[in-house]
Amino acid sequence: MKQLRIRTLAVTFLVAGVLSWALAKLLVARDSLGTLPSVPLAAPIVLAVIAAALLATAISLRSRLRAQRDRVPGAKGVEPLMAARAVVFGQASALVSALVSGVYGGLGIFLLSHLDVPARRDQAVYAAFAVAAGIAVIAAALFLERVLRLPEDDDTESAVA
């Protein structure tokens, strides 16, 4: 399984942000009322829950792997299929989070120029929290991937590089 690249996540974030910002400008310019799709209050909450789940999984698996490595009696091992599923869940969450955070980031940047309207000010705050929670998801997913990296992976990468 290939390791998730930070460059891929950054490009996804930036492209989604630019497209979202451009779409927001286009919608406001076309519509005389200046209506935009709203940033739901649930967006940062859902992203924060996903980040917490990824972090809890990473911490749990790290302690189980450490106990298994130290040959603690009665230690519960980590099944390879479960570890692979956790990594895939983390990678998928990071990619989707980069996309969603980019959309909310672009919309938030657009809303920064319209802070005189109270409703748009609230939307900008929600967008900022969504971006922060999305970055937390990405960080937790990368931590989970690091926890579940096989020792052989480090040797083969250093030999190739």
Side-chain angles (χ1 to χ4, degrees):
M1 185 177 301
K2 286 190 174 188
Q3 187 175 358
L4 191 60
R5 295 177 187 234
I6 295 176
R7 182 178 358 152
T8 304
L9 297 172
V11 167
T12 303
F13 177 83
L14 289 174
V15 168
V18 168
L19 290 176
S20 173
W21 173 80
L23 183 63
K25 281 190 78 76
L26 180 67
L27 286 174
V28 169
R30 187 189 69 141
D31 188 10
S32 61
L33 298 176
T35 58
L36 285 173
S38 65
V39 179
L41 178 60
I45 295 169
V46 169
L47 289 170
V49 167
I50 293 171
L54 286 169
L55 186 61
T57 302
I59 291 171
S60 171
L61 290 175
R62 183 177 66 170
S63 67
R64 287 171 61 182
L65 287 169
R66 184 175 293 146
Q68 186 178 6
R69 183 181 60 235
D70 294 342
R71 300 182 192 266
V72 175
K76 187 175 179 183
V78 177
E79 295 179 25
L81 187 58
M82 186 185 80
R85 287 179 179 160
V87 169
V88 168
F89 173 63
Q91 288 182 346
S93 298
L95 284 169
V96 170
S97 178
L99 180 67
V100 169
S101 297
V103 168
Y104 289 135
L107 189 58
I109 288 173
F110 174 78
L111 290 171
L112 285 177
S113 62
H114 299 89
L115 291 178
D116 52 337
V117 179
R120 289 200 174 168
R121 190 174 328 135
D122 292 343
Q123 293 296 305
V125 170
Y126 297 158
F129 282 137
V131 170
I135 291 171
V137 169
I138 293 169
L142 291 175
F143 177 63
L144 175 64
E145 190 177 53
R146 183 176 175 271
V147 164
L148 294 175
R149 185 180 310 152
L150 295 174
E152 297 89 47
D153 288 348
D154 293 335
D155 296 337
T156 58
E157 287 179 12
S158 61
V160 173

PDB file of all heavy atoms in Angstrom, residues 12 18 22 31 34 37 48 54-55 59 66 80 104 115 142 148-149:
ATOM      1  N   THR A  12      -4.781  19.148  -3.558  1.00  0.00           N
ATOM      2  CA  THR A  12      -6.240  18.981  -3.482  1.00  0.00           C
ATOM      3  C   THR A  12      -6.870  20.144  -2.726  1.00  0.00           C
ATOM      4  O   THR A  12      -7.874  20.709  -3.168  1.00  0.00           O
ATOM      5  CB  THR A  12      -6.597  17.653  -2.795  1.00  0.00           C
ATOM      6  OG1 THR A  12      -5.994  16.583  -3.511  1.00  0.00           O
ATOM      7  CG2 THR A  12      -8.093  17.447  -2.729  1.00  0.00           C
ATOM      8  N   VAL A  18      -9.365  27.354  -4.543  1.00  0.00           N
ATOM      9  CA  VAL A  18      -9.428  28.325  -5.644  1.00  0.00           C
ATOM     10  C   VAL A  18     -10.751  28.197  -6.398  1.00  0.00           C
ATOM     11  O   VAL A  18     -11.399  29.203  -6.712  1.00  0.00           O
ATOM     12  CB  VAL A  18      -8.216  28.152  -6.586  1.00  0.00           C
ATOM     13  CG1 VAL A  18      -8.402  28.929  -7.871  1.00  0.00           C
ATOM     14  CG2 VAL A  18      -6.941  28.581  -5.880  1.00  0.00           C
ATOM     15  N   ALA A  22     -13.630  31.096  -6.588  1.00  0.00           N
ATOM     16  CA  ALA A  22     -14.078  31.600  -7.890  1.00  0.00           C
ATOM     17  C   ALA A  22     -15.578  31.399  -8.077  1.00  0.00           C
ATOM     18  O   ALA A  22     -16.277  32.294  -8.585  1.00  0.00           O
ATOM     19  CB  ALA A  22     -13.315  30.909  -9.008  1.00  0.00           C
ATOM     20  N   ASP A  31     -25.882  37.034  -9.129  1.00  0.00           N
ATOM     21  CA  ASP A  31     -27.121  37.207  -8.378  1.00  0.00           C
ATOM     22  C   ASP A  31     -27.118  38.576  -7.710  1.00  0.00           C
ATOM     23  O   ASP A  31     -26.202  38.903  -6.973  1.00  0.00           O
ATOM     24  CB  ASP A  31     -27.244  36.096  -7.336  1.00  0.00           C
ATOM     25  CG  ASP A  31     -28.581  36.076  -6.642  1.00  0.00           C
ATOM     26  OD1 ASP A  31     -29.496  36.788  -7.085  1.00  0.00           O
ATOM     27  OD2 ASP A  31     -28.711  35.333  -5.666  1.00  0.00           O
ATOM     28  N   GLY A  34     -26.887  38.376  -3.951  1.00  0.00           N
ATOM     29  CA  GLY A  34     -25.624  37.910  -3.391  1.00  0.00           C
ATOM     30  C   GLY A  34     -25.778  36.701  -2.501  1.00  0.00           C
ATOM     31  O   GLY A  34     -25.149  36.633  -1.454  1.00  0.00           O
ATOM     32  N   PRO A  37     -24.211  29.506  -1.029  1.00  0.00           N
ATOM     33  CA  PRO A  37     -24.519  28.327  -0.219  1.00  0.00           C
ATOM     34  C   PRO A  37     -23.934  28.532   1.180  1.00  0.00           C
ATOM     35  O   PRO A  37     -22.835  29.067   1.328  1.00  0.00           O
ATOM     36  CB  PRO A  37     -23.821  27.183  -0.936  1.00  0.00           C
ATOM     37  CG  PRO A  37     -23.311  27.724  -2.214  1.00  0.00           C
ATOM     38  CD  PRO A  37     -23.393  29.203  -2.166  1.00  0.00           C
ATOM     39  N   ALA A  48     -14.467  17.190  13.245  1.00  0.00           N
ATOM     40  CA  ALA A  48     -13.800  16.993  14.535  1.00  0.00           C
ATOM     41  C   ALA A  48     -14.050  15.586  15.085  1.00  0.00           C
ATOM     42  O   ALA A  48     -13.151  14.969  15.672  1.00  0.00           O
ATOM     43  CB  ALA A  48     -14.272  18.049  15.532  1.00  0.00           C
ATOM     44  N   LEU A  54     -10.109   8.923  14.356  1.00  0.00           N
ATOM     45  CA  LEU A  54      -8.814   8.525  13.798  1.00  0.00           C
ATOM     46  C   LEU A  54      -7.715   8.558  14.853  1.00  0.00           C
ATOM     47  O   LEU A  54      -6.875   7.655  14.919  1.00  0.00           O
ATOM     48  CB  LEU A  54      -8.446   9.435  12.625  1.00  0.00           C
ATOM     49  CG  LEU A  54      -9.203   9.209  11.321  1.00  0.00           C
ATOM     50  CD1 LEU A  54      -8.917  10.342  10.349  1.00  0.00           C
ATOM     51  CD2 LEU A  54      -8.837   7.877  10.712  1.00  0.00           C
ATOM     52  N   LEU A  55      -7.721   9.583  15.675  1.00  0.00           N
ATOM     53  CA  LEU A  55      -6.708   9.696  16.722  1.00  0.00           C
ATOM     54  C   LEU A  55      -6.860   8.590  17.755  1.00  0.00           C
ATOM     55  O   LEU A  55      -5.864   7.985  18.181  1.00  0.00           O
ATOM     56  CB  LEU A  55      -6.788  11.074  17.384  1.00  0.00           C
ATOM     57  CG  LEU A  55      -5.699  11.388  18.396  1.00  0.00           C
ATOM     58  CD1 LEU A  55      -4.327  11.361  17.725  1.00  0.00           C
ATOM     59  CD2 LEU A  55      -5.951  12.736  19.034  1.00  0.00           C
ATOM     60  N   ILE A  59      -4.009   5.767  18.573  1.00  0.00           N
ATOM     61  CA  ILE A  59      -3.454   5.578  19.919  1.00  0.00           C
ATOM     62  C   ILE A  59      -3.693   4.158  20.402  1.00  0.00           C
ATOM     63  O   ILE A  59      -2.808   3.524  20.990  1.00  0.00           O
ATOM     64  CB  ILE A  59      -4.047   6.624  20.884  1.00  0.00           C
ATOM     65  CG1 ILE A  59      -3.506   8.012  20.522  1.00  0.00           C
ATOM     66  CG2 ILE A  59      -3.725   6.278  22.332  1.00  0.00           C
ATOM     67  CD1 ILE A  59      -4.177   9.149  21.247  1.00  0.00           C
ATOM     68  N   ARG A  66       2.751  -1.898  20.574  1.00  0.00           N
ATOM     69  CA  ARG A  66       3.856  -1.812  21.533  1.00  0.00           C
ATOM     70  C   ARG A  66       3.819  -2.996  22.497  1.00  0.00           C
ATOM     71  O   ARG A  66       4.846  -3.594  22.793  1.00  0.00           O
ATOM     72  CB  ARG A  66       3.783  -0.498  22.305  1.00  0.00           C
ATOM     73  CG  ARG A  66       4.971  -0.310  23.243  1.00  0.00           C
ATOM     74  CD  ARG A  66       4.958   1.038  23.918  1.00  0.00           C
ATOM     75  NE  ARG A  66       5.166   2.068  22.912  1.00  0.00           N
ATOM     76  CZ  ARG A  66       4.619   3.272  22.953  1.00  0.00           C
ATOM     77  NH1 ARG A  66       3.825   3.613  23.947  1.00  0.00           N
ATOM     78  NH2 ARG A  66       4.863   4.158  22.019  1.00  0.00           N
ATOM     79  N   PRO A  80      -3.694  -8.092  10.679  1.00  0.00           N
ATOM     80  CA  PRO A  80      -3.239  -7.339   9.502  1.00  0.00           C
ATOM     81  C   PRO A  80      -4.389  -6.739   8.687  1.00  0.00           C
ATOM     82  O   PRO A  80      -4.267  -5.619   8.187  1.00  0.00           O
ATOM     83  CB  PRO A  80      -2.468  -8.378   8.689  1.00  0.00           C
ATOM     84  CG  PRO A  80      -2.063  -9.418   9.670  1.00  0.00           C
ATOM     85  CD  PRO A  80      -3.129  -9.444  10.713  1.00  0.00           C
ATOM     86  N   TYR A 104     -14.324  24.870   1.925  1.00  0.00           N
ATOM     87  CA  TYR A 104     -14.678  25.813   2.989  1.00  0.00           C
ATOM     88  C   TYR A 104     -13.636  26.907   3.149  1.00  0.00           C
ATOM     89  O   TYR A 104     -13.961  28.045   3.501  1.00  0.00           O
ATOM     90  CB  TYR A 104     -14.896  25.088   4.313  1.00  0.00           C
ATOM     91  CG  TYR A 104     -16.157  24.274   4.335  1.00  0.00           C
ATOM     92  CD1 TYR A 104     -16.174  22.982   4.845  1.00  0.00           C
ATOM     93  CD2 TYR A 104     -17.351  24.773   3.829  1.00  0.00           C
ATOM     94  CE1 TYR A 104     -17.334  22.229   4.860  1.00  0.00           C
ATOM     95  CE2 TYR A 104     -18.508  24.024   3.836  1.00  0.00           C
ATOM     96  CZ  TYR A 104     -18.490  22.755   4.351  1.00  0.00           C
ATOM     97  OH  TYR A 104     -19.642  22.017   4.357  1.00  0.00           O
ATOM     98  N   LEU A 115     -17.413  40.949   5.632  1.00  0.00           N
ATOM     99  CA  LEU A 115     -17.677  40.767   7.062  1.00  0.00           C
ATOM    100  C   LEU A 115     -18.638  41.802   7.638  1.00  0.00           C
ATOM    101  O   LEU A 115     -19.005  41.719   8.804  1.00  0.00           O
ATOM    102  CB  LEU A 115     -16.368  40.787   7.847  1.00  0.00           C
ATOM    103  CG  LEU A 115     -15.456  39.585   7.631  1.00  0.00           C
ATOM    104  CD1 LEU A 115     -14.178  39.747   8.432  1.00  0.00           C
ATOM    105  CD2 LEU A 115     -16.154  38.294   7.979  1.00  0.00           C
ATOM    106  N   LEU A 142      -2.516  11.033   9.077  1.00  0.00           N
ATOM    107  CA  LEU A 142      -1.088  10.839   8.848  1.00  0.00           C
ATOM    108  C   LEU A 142      -0.426  10.175  10.051  1.00  0.00           C
ATOM    109  O   LEU A 142       0.478   9.339   9.896  1.00  0.00           O
ATOM    110  CB  LEU A 142      -0.416  12.170   8.522  1.00  0.00           C
ATOM    111  CG  LEU A 142      -0.789  12.780   7.170  1.00  0.00           C
ATOM    112  CD1 LEU A 142      -0.164  14.161   7.012  1.00  0.00           C
ATOM    113  CD2 LEU A 142      -0.389  11.878   6.026  1.00  0.00           C
ATOM    114  N   LEU A 148       1.015   2.633  11.817  1.00  0.00           N
ATOM    115  CA  LEU A 148       0.840   1.317  11.202  1.00  0.00           C
ATOM    116  C   LEU A 148       1.858   1.011  10.109  1.00  0.00           C
ATOM    117  O   LEU A 148       1.727   0.005   9.417  1.00  0.00           O
ATOM    118  CB  LEU A 148      -0.579   1.200  10.646  1.00  0.00           C
ATOM    119  CG  LEU A 148      -1.661   1.199  11.720  1.00  0.00           C
ATOM    120  CD1 LEU A 148      -3.037   1.211  11.095  1.00  0.00           C
ATOM    121  CD2 LEU A 148      -1.506   0.015  12.657  1.00  0.00           C
ATOM    122  N   ARG A 149       2.853   1.839   9.951  1.00  0.00           N
ATOM    123  CA  ARG A 149       3.891   1.576   8.956  1.00  0.00           C
ATOM    124  C   ARG A 149       4.707   0.368   9.393  1.00  0.00           C
ATOM    125  O   ARG A 149       5.107   0.252  10.553  1.00  0.00           O
ATOM    126  CB  ARG A 149       4.810   2.783   8.816  1.00  0.00           C
ATOM    127  CG  ARG A 149       5.840   2.606   7.710  1.00  0.00           C
ATOM    128  CD  ARG A 149       6.753   3.777   7.556  1.00  0.00           C
ATOM    129  NE  ARG A 149       5.996   5.011   7.481  1.00  0.00           N
ATOM    130  CZ  ARG A 149       6.460   6.184   7.874  1.00  0.00           C
ATOM    131  NH1 ARG A 149       7.673   6.280   8.384  1.00  0.00           N
ATOM    132  NH2 ARG A 149       5.726   7.259   7.773  1.00  0.00           N
TER     133      ARG A 149
END
